[in-house]
Amino acid sequence: MRVAVVGAGPAGVRAVEQLVRAGLRPVWIDEAPDGGGRIYQRPPAGFHRTPKALYGWEGGRAAALHATLDALKPQVDWRPETLVWNIQPGLLDPGRLDTVRDGAVEQLGFDAAILCTGAMDRVIPIPGWTLPGVTAMGAAQIALKTQGCAIGRRVAFVGSGPLLWLVAYQYMKSGAGIAAVIDTTPWRTKLHALAGLRDGAATLAKGAWYVARLRAAGILVREGATPIAIEGEDGVTGLRWRDASGVEQRLDCDALALGWGVRPETQLADLAGVPMRFDAPSHLWVPQRDAAGRSAVPGLYLAGDGAGIGGADVAEMAGARAALALQEDAGMKADVELATRLDRRLHAQARFRAALDRAFPFPARLAATMPDATILCRCEAVRAGELRQAARADAATGAAPEVNRAKAFTRIGMGRCQGRICGAAASAVLADALGCDVTEVGRLRGQAPVKPLPMPMPIPAGTP
Amino acid sequence: MSGVVETEVLVIGGGGAGCSTALHLALRGAKVVLLERGLVGSQASGANYGGVRQQGRHPAELPIAKRSHAIWQDLPRLLGTDCEFVATGHLKLARSAADEADLVAYLDVARDYQLPVRFLDRATLHRDYPWLGASVVAASFAPEDGSANPRLLSPALAQAARAAGAAIREQIQVTACRHENGRFVVEAGDAVFHADTLVNTAGFWGGQVAEWFGEPVPVRPHTPNMGVTEPIPYFIRPNIGVAGGGIYLRQIPRGNVIFGGGRGTGDPAVPFSRATPEATLAAMRKAVEIVPSLAGVSVIRSWSGIDGMMPDGIPVVGPSSTTPGLFHAFGFSGHGFQLGPAIGAILSELVLDGRTDVPLEPLSIRRFQTTP
């Protein structure tokens, strides 16, 4: 049986571990040079820092995952620095993955595949967000984690979610200058959602600890605040924001990290025909799967953040569980005891995730009410006002009733990222302009290539 | 909306041809309802390459294409938008002596139809377009031709039709049609439509409509494979075609290069269509042969849509052979985008005047009927 695993983050590593344990030799594809996923992304060759220094409290987990990854490589068909740019699901025929590595394309057949495609930053465009010096929260962390670089000398962190506090803390510890931490979620909301849960208490405690350390260092920390605009001409010079009592404030900064958690990378699942659903608590479209990671497409399994945000620990469990499900479905002898244990733990984690989603709600209003002049789609330089215009019944093309039609009229989400960055905000703006629920405007459909594919490519061998 | 809807003219299919028909009928005061299964311009009319071209067309299509050319130039007045139509000229390339001979032969056709086309020999061509690949040996240039944004045309035509009084009904699928007591009865969604006149502009699915009226045609689904690159500096001014086909490309002033070639995949029953990696990769390779400097430029998206392909590559346009009051315009075989605006004008004349100056006999549905 030909099995393919896409992604070598926490989910991919644990999936491959179980496949190899069962005697399979999967094809294992990852975009990064050396795996690890975004959360445990490894520094480039020649950089030597301890796991503790790189990954903080998660250093032990990172080191363990990397050790497993390295041990698995010789036992599989390991293909790093390789992009899966298209997937054709196997319904009657075997499925196929279209890959590209260093300009060379290849088609790989598979009987079963586990997609562990991970997550990317979720940002809300605010005025000035395209200025040099503004990065996504996760990117700010990766710059620090993998290369020991801060994104500026005086950095403002704006957004919400556990990552906001973690990254700000990591910057502080590394000696980088911090201008402020501006959290759009009020403390009350977090307390209310997380209190009473065992894991919630730990998260609250961790968060409180970060906040206390940041405050103790004299850093401006504000919750329940709203960013208004990033200021600057050729680069970031400041941030205008509104505090919890509604008073407008301004601060100086030369760089800014922006992020409201992460969103799943669902393009391959979408192209493969996996049905998607809107997960209201997280305000995200996620591919449908069962608790073990089976999708409605035969032979296709989903695990990790790409299947719905759960974090690294959940991803490790889900990866292993999906691999066991694949074995069960293929009539192989699977470790039933492990599967049962994983099911129990994943179920418990789902409750905690629901609480986290309540604690850090996506500020849809902030997106929906962005000023007309805000560049919403940065790839195509489409402003929010143009999208609102496309929702008007008196537009030359009539009103766009859903987001793909709005894309056709305005080019929103048509660029290099295909709406992975602006899609959620675009839906919020369009739904608000049409006066309907965000689920009614739908989601931007995926199209191959899922990431840019350079010309020219030799035709794969065997193509008629 | 359930119940019975009475109208004078019912149009089935909201592509460029159908929306233009609704517009031209409404402008002349006819009571018209258009039914579209999805959103207007969802299939071939919205997903095509965007070429607006007369050069290279079958002589049977040229009178329609010429009439359309006039309407394309008039779109701002008619629709309040130019649909990004730009007369960049269309440059048709030859890569062999045989293809060159075909281009030369077409010059006579062009002359017969007063279509301005200029032949460029190898030296002139490479002097004027130094970015062309060495495999190109000659070309013919049609200055009136160009390109437009296909995603805008049908919705803008539909919007203008609405403004003129037409009812454009989207997300409603026609499930049955018949002619009863001199009137057309069309079942769609949970409603029944009664009309004096029926216009079939249903693209590939137009074959089903024709079949309902006892005149089946051998139309097949056609799914052109399209792609687009990231924006690069604007240097490819004309819309580029190639004798023998296989690749066509154009660049828009904002920088993206749009290219097509080969077939995607699809299922008209869903309807579903998608570009295939094989066709996309083949088109990319051919694009680089023609314009070598595209090497390394990133392709960011691919797509397809469903059109109707006729065995002889030209559409069915004109009155039904079985049913008075029924008019067809479908099966545009991968090159109907430019024709759409004129099709509406011509059909409105057929419906309201019973005649048109544009010769349609070569496009009649009769050509697929074997004489008993």
Side-chain angles (χ1 to χ4, degrees), chain A residues 72-96:
Chain A
L72 288 170
K73 281 178 196 168
Q75 304 178 68
V76 301
D77 182 355
W78 169 241
R79 296 171 182 238
E81 294 182 297
T82 302
L83 168 70
V84 178
W85 63 271
N86 187 40
I87 183 169
Q88 300 172 81
L91 295 174
L92 299 175
D93 304 321
R96 280 181 299 174

Side-chain angles (χ1 to χ4, degrees), chain A residues 109-312:
Chain A
F110 65 87
D111 302 300
I114 307 178
L115 302 182
C116 308
T117 44
M120 65 179 284
D121 285 286
R122 176 162 65 173
V123 297
I124 296 173
I126 58 176
W129 74 300
T130 55
L131 282 169
V134 181
T135 70
M137 195 67 65
Q141 187 189 34
I142 284 169
L144 187 69
K145 206 153 57 177
T146 65
Q147 311 233 354
C149 288
I151 62 168
R153 294 176 186 282
R154 198 173 152 70
V155 183
F157 295 87
V158 179
S160 192
L163 195 61
L164 170 72
W165 299 101
L166 175 63
V167 178
Y169 172 75
Q170 288 172 332
Y171 265 65
M172 185 191 77
K173 270 206 69 181
S174 72
I178 300 184
V181 182
I182 304 293
D183 187 346
T184 56
T185 308
W187 171 242
R188 256 191 338 277
T189 307
K190 290 177 258 189
L191 186 68
H192 191 72
L194 294 172
L197 283 176
R198 186 171 53 85
D199 291 320
T203 300
L204 271 177
K206 230 188 244 184
W209 191 80
Y210 289 142
V211 174
R213 297 298 290 263
L214 288 160
R215 283 192 204 275
I219 291 164
L220 177 71
V221 172
R222 287 293 179 271
E223 290 163 281
T226 309
I228 299 170
I230 302 164
E231 296 185 329
E233 292 289 322
D234 307 317
V236 176
T237 56
L239 172 73
R240 282 195 297 119
W241 56 286
R242 194 169 286 117
D243 65 25
S245 58
V247 178
E248 190 172 323
Q249 308 277 356
R250 192 196 172 281
L251 59 87
D252 287 327
C253 57
D254 66 358
L256 192 139
L258 205 56
W260 282 266
V262 292
R263 55 170 294 278
E265 288 276 61
T266 57
Q267 311 99 284
L268 287 177
D270 188 14
L271 282 178
V274 176
M276 309 279 282
R277 69 178 175 86
F278 187 73
D279 180 61
S282 63
H283 203 88
L284 291 167
W285 287 93
V286 297
Q288 291 186 33
R289 62 186 160 93
D290 73 4
R294 294 179 184 88
S295 79
V297 178
L300 205 64
Y301 301 80
L302 309 164
D305 276 357
I309 303 305

Side-chain angles (χ1 to χ4, degrees), chain B residues 40-63:
Chain B
V40 295
S42 289
Q43 294 296 336
S45 294
N48 70 77
Y49 162 71
V52 180
R53 163 183 69 80
Q54 302 170 79
Q55 172 171 227
R57 284 187 181 275
H58 190 286
E61 292 180 347
L62 278 175

